[in-house]
Amino acid sequence: PILIWEAQFGDFANNAQVVIDQFITSGEHKWNRLSGLTLLLPHGYEGQGPEHSSARLERFIQLCAEQNIQVCIPTTPEQVFHVLRRQMIRPVRKPLVVMTAKSLLRHKQVVSDIQELAEGSFRPVLDETDVLPAEAVRRVIMCSGKIYYDLLNARREDQREDLAIIRLEQLYPFPEEELFDVLSQYPRLNELTWVQEEPLNQGAWFGSQHHIRRTITRHKNCLVLSQVSRDASASPAAGNMEMHQQQQNSVVDEAINL
């Protein structure tokens, strides 16, 4: 059976990290023991301070090797449903780490219909949702998590048709083939920008960029890879709501107008 575990921040989370490091992520390598444990970890920059913003995604990415765990950041109800369903029916179990943003529980754009829940499967990469002419797209923004909706609304407000936004819903195992298939749909693409709301020294960028670089070298065009994030920080997040909003707006504005 799968244990669904919603971790909280503080001393409990610190002690839990020791268990994760010593047993969950390395149990198969050490003792050839499989585990279907599922961790639901609150993660999302919503202005609630350092202890309520980050589940230390970068730590989990650092622990990824040899197909040992799965790290996912679903952004729609059907994606949450299908990633948990996939975990239940897979014949070979691997620990699943799901980063979940609390604000997406009440976000008006985060909806799915019954057909999406009843059919289909989990998709590691979600392509652009708006109808954009593929030949017009020159740059693709790639992101994970709740910042997608900020970027989408900003792009729509600017009415940009040369900028597509795709979501990386699974960070590990990294979906190179799925990402390549999505990027290949844009024949005149010349730049890929990774955008994250976490500081530069945190989040998925440093642990995933080698996968991204390996994927884009297969594109027929010579793609330039860039990144946008908060500045490197010793703290996971700002402790002031006004400062948080300024930083968030700055990241979104830079990503759209790079």
Side-chain angles (χ1 to χ4, degrees):
I2 298 176
L3 171 62
I4 306 298
W5 176 19
E6 181 175 353
Q8 302 296 323
F9 297 98
D11 292 338
F12 177 75
N14 294 332
N15 294 332
Q17 194 66 57
V18 175
V19 176
I20 292 167
D21 292 352
Q22 296 297 324
F23 298 98
I24 296 174
T25 61
S26 58
E28 183 178 358
H29 185 92
K30 288 179 177 179
W31 308 296
N32 200 28
R33 300 287 294 181
L34 299 179
S35 170
L37 182 72
T38 297
L39 306 181
L40 300 180
L41 307 178
H43 180 84
Y45 283 58
E46 297 159 345
Q48 300 303 310
E51 283 70 40
H52 299 276
S53 298
S54 176
R56 289 298 185 180
L57 171 61
E58 63 278 357
R59 286 291 320 278
F60 287 97
I61 296 297
Q62 185 182 36
L63 294 169
C64 292
E66 302 178 304
Q67 309 291 311
N68 61 332
I69 62 174
Q70 308 161 82
V71 179
C72 298
I73 312 183
T75 55
T76 64
E78 79 269 16
Q79 285 285 90
V80 174
F81 171 76
H82 286 302
V83 75
L84 295 177
R85 178 179 179 274
R86 183 183 72 172
Q87 182 74 346
M88 287 294 297
I89 64 177
R90 274 185 164 176
V92 177
R93 297 293 178 86
K94 299 281 185 176
L96 170 63
V97 180
V98 184
M99 299 286 163
T100 58
K102 296 178 182 178
S103 64
L104 296 190
L105 292 172
R106 56 186 181 274
H107 199 293
K108 293 181 179 180
Q109 292 174 275
V110 183
V111 294
S112 300
D113 60 35
I114 294 297
Q115 185 176 2
E116 292 171 326
L117 291 167
E119 301 177 0
S121 60
F122 178 73
R123 292 171 289 168
V125 181
L126 295 182
D127 197 4
E128 171 63 51
T129 57
D130 289 351
V131 179
L132 301 178
E135 295 77 12
V137 173
R138 299 292 190 277
R139 183 162 68 95
V140 162
I141 286 178
M142 184 166 65
C143 63
S144 288
K146 59 176 281 294
I147 197 172
Y148 163 75
Y149 293 99
D150 296 334
L151 294 166
L152 177 64
N153 292 331
R155 197 274 311 278
R156 286 175 174 174
E157 184 177 347
D158 286 356
Q159 299 181 342
R160 297 276 299 275
E161 291 192 341
D162 63 326
L163 181 62
I165 306 174
I166 65 176
R167 282 167 281 178
L168 198 61
E169 303 270 290
Q170 178 174 294
L171 291 168
Y172 192 84
F174 193 88
E176 292 188 14
E177 291 302 323
E178 291 87 345
L179 177 58
F180 175 74
D181 290 342
V182 170
L183 295 179
S184 297
Q185 299 178 74
Y186 304 109
R188 305 183 69 180
L189 179 65
N190 54 46
E191 184 176 358
L192 175 66
T193 303
W194 170 262
V195 180
Q196 65 180 35
E197 57 184 4
E198 299 90 350
L200 176 61
N201 59 317
Q202 300 170 38
W205 168 245
F206 281 121
S208 301
Q209 62 171 301
H210 61 291
H211 295 295
I212 300 172
R213 295 184 190 279
R214 183 162 57 228
T215 303
I216 64 176
T217 57
R218 299 168 56 190
H219 196 277
K220 68 176 185 178
N221 301 336
C222 184
L223 302 186
V224 175
L225 177 62
S226 58
Q227 68 81 28
V228 175
S229 68
R230 282 172 165 81
D231 293 336
S233 172
S235 173
N240 177 273
M241 174 61 81
E242 183 178 352
M243 182 179 295
H244 156 77
Q245 199 58 57
Q246 290 176 353
Q247 292 176 345
Q248 192 80 357
N249 292 341
S250 177
V251 169
V252 172
D253 182 68
E254 181 180 353
I256 296 297
N257 300 300
L258 190 65

